[in-house]
Amino acid sequence: MNIILFGQPGAGKGTQAQKLSKKYGIPQISTGDILRANVKEGTKLGLEAKKYMDAGELVPDAVLIGIIKDRLLQPDAANGFLLDGYPRTIPQADALAGILDEIKKPIDAVINIAVPTPILLERLSGRWMSACGASYNTVFNPPKKEGVCDVCGDQLFQRPDDTSAAVANRLEVYQKQTAPLIDYYKGKGLLKDIDGTKDIDVVFEEIDKIAAPFK
Ligand code: ADP
Ligand code: ADP
């Protein structure tokens, strides 16, 4: 199962990728999580990426292409992967196609989770994250114990780029740089549209109907 979870910030890519990962035992590859881990550890990559992330800008393509290539070659991705937050530009998608061609793992589906902007804003303002990639919401998806991750037990945190200025820019950046990928993947016959406004479990059922045949 080689799947791309696609959608605007706050659409539910991470939430759904976690559920698919748990059900099918294949890794969620979130470039946002990888970058945040580097920022936290203070690596050279993290130091470079932080300024873009805090401003809600995309980190340069060359950096992301290097990250995704390394990650896809890890042994745990041999039986499939769930890409969450990559690709975000046409050059990233072209690079991905080249890598997957080399390792003979074609993309099965690009799942486009559609959610209107007012709902995205509501979701992002209440989002709390865990370092393990789990995503919670104070209103829509609270953890069992306040401030603590159900999955790994770590303290939850709010992302610095979920503040209003960075969110507004991320939505603009999506329209300019990422939305063209919808036609790109439509043209390849891979795009599957999903209504992402429904409850998390309902959205998952819809996504699973698309994903299950690629098990
Ligand atoms: P993305 O990875 O696309 O940015 P997330 O999966 O982190 O999005 O979800 C954004 C926020 O919205 C989180 O707080 C999450 O708990 C919440 N959320 C995700 N899916 C839904 C849904 N179907 N209904 C309500 N809230 C949701
Ligand atoms: P969201 O869940 O809100 O869609 P992510 O966690 O995927 O956001 O990404 C957070 C930030 O990390 C982005 O705003 C961007 O700065 C950087 N980032 C993540 N993935 C990419 C990518 N594929 N290309 C460029 N920048 C990225």
Side-chain angles (χ1 to χ4, degrees), residues 8 10-15 123 127 135-137 140-141 198 200:
Q8 301 205 62
K13 303 179 295 294
T15 301
R123 286 186 184 178
R127 169 156 72 180
S135 185
Y136 298 89
N137 192 284
F140 307 115
N141 184 30
K198 297 183 188 151
I200 290 172

Side-chain angles (χ1 to χ4, degrees), residues 52-67:
Y52 296 100
M53 296 171 77
D54 285 349
E57 293 290 335
L58 295 184
V59 176
D61 284 337
V63 175
L64 265 295
I65 291 166
I67 291 177

Side-chain angles (χ1 to χ4, degrees), residues 9 13 31 36 57 59 64 85 88 92 127 159 170:
K13 303 179 295 294
T31 44
R36 278 186 290 278
E57 293 290 335
V59 176
L64 265 295
R88 270 179 149 100
Q92 289 184 18
R127 169 156 72 180
R159 283 171 40 177
R170 277 155 65 205

Side-chain angles (χ1 to χ4, degrees), residues 17-200:
Q18 278 250 329
K19 289 173 82 70
L20 283 172
S21 170
K22 197 168 164 200
K23 177 158 182 183
Y24 293 105
I26 56 173
Q28 167 194 13
I29 300 183
S30 160
T31 44
D33 287 345
I34 294 170
L35 290 168
R36 278 186 290 278
N38 275 276
V39 171
K40 196 171 165 192
E41 287 159 23
T43 66
K44 192 166 164 265
L45 167 66
L47 289 176
E48 191 196 342
K50 189 178 183 324
K51 54 181 188 284
Y52 296 100
M53 296 171 77
D54 285 349
E57 293 290 335
L58 295 184
V59 176
D61 284 337
V63 175
L64 265 295
I65 291 166
I67 291 177
I68 209 70
K69 185 161 188 186
D70 283 354
R71 185 62 189 88
L72 285 170
L73 295 176
Q74 299 292 312
D76 68 335
N79 294 323
F81 49 81
L82 305 159
L83 289 183
D84 160 13
Y86 186 101
R88 270 179 149 100
T89 64
I90 302 266
Q92 289 184 18
D94 284 340
L96 178 67
I99 297 164
L100 295 181
D101 218 34
E102 251 176 56
I103 59 176
K104 301 197 170 44
K105 290 192 185 12
I107 293 162
D108 295 316
V110 178
I111 299 178
N112 177 29
I113 310 175
V115 175
T117 306
I119 301 181
L120 296 173
L121 296 175
E122 219 181 342
R123 286 186 184 178
L124 291 173
S125 67
R127 169 156 72 180
W128 286 77
M129 301 277 299
S130 166
C132 75
S135 185
Y136 298 89
N137 192 284
T138 43
V139 181
F140 307 115
N141 184 30
K144 291 194 181 84
K145 188 172 169 212
E146 199 183 318
V148 179
C149 179
D150 296 349
V151 181
C152 71
D154 264 19
Q155 286 292 114
L156 301 181
F157 61 91
Q158 276 191 298
R159 283 171 40 177
D161 60 341
D162 277 347
T163 58
S164 56
V167 166
N169 197 35
R170 277 155 65 205
L171 295 176
E172 234 176 79
V173 164
Y174 171 88
Q175 293 304 339
K176 278 199 207 127
Q177 302 189 57
T178 306
L181 289 173
I182 293 180
D183 280 343
Y184 177 99
Y185 284 120
K186 217 182 253 174
K188 294 185 188 295
L190 291 171
L191 196 82
K192 311 283 175 196
D193 290 307
I194 287 285
D195 175 0
T197 62
K198 297 183 188 151
D199 283 353
I200 290 172

